[in-house]
Amino acid sequence: KARGKWLTIREASDISGAAKSTLTKWCRTGKLPNARKIETPLGSYWEIAESDLKNIDEIKVGARESSSGYLGAALDDIAIR
């Protein structure tokens, strides 16, 4: 269980440099393992444990490698045609 400070998506984005939409996606997909979804009568939002940001550079690199692999395959496919 995470300990310490909890951050909003905006705060985590400001600290990490990652886009808010990317952080939201990582919360949904479990890449930020301690993130928690807060439900309110007006909607929901995510909170990210400050400790999860310590691994953010590794997550960013993994995301880029995954994206470039897919894009690379797509570009190879286009070049073949």
Side-chain angles (χ1 to χ4, degrees):
K1 190 83 174 165
R3 302 179 109 196
K5 185 176 180 183
W6 290 92
L7 306 167
T8 64
I9 293 284
R10 180 180 297 216
E11 291 168 331
S13 176
D14 290 344
I15 291 169
S16 68
K20 292 180 282 190
S21 59
T22 299
L23 289 169
T24 301
K25 178 180 170 185
W26 290 348
C27 288
R28 279 195 326 267
T29 60
K31 289 188 179 190
L32 298 171
N34 297 303
R36 59 187 183 191
K37 191 171 190 177
I38 308 298
E39 302 283 345
T40 73
L42 299 176
S44 61
Y45 64 95
W46 287 95
E47 286 186 335
I48 298 172
E50 189 173 40
S51 60
D52 278 352
L53 295 185
K54 290 183 167 90
N55 299 323
I56 200 89
D57 289 332
E58 294 170 23
I59 295 169
K60 285 180 184 177
V61 169
R64 273 197 298 273
E65 288 173 354
S66 297
S67 297
S68 64
Y70 175 77
L71 180 59
L75 292 175
D76 289 346
D77 186 47
I78 291 169
I80 292 171
R81 292 179 185 180

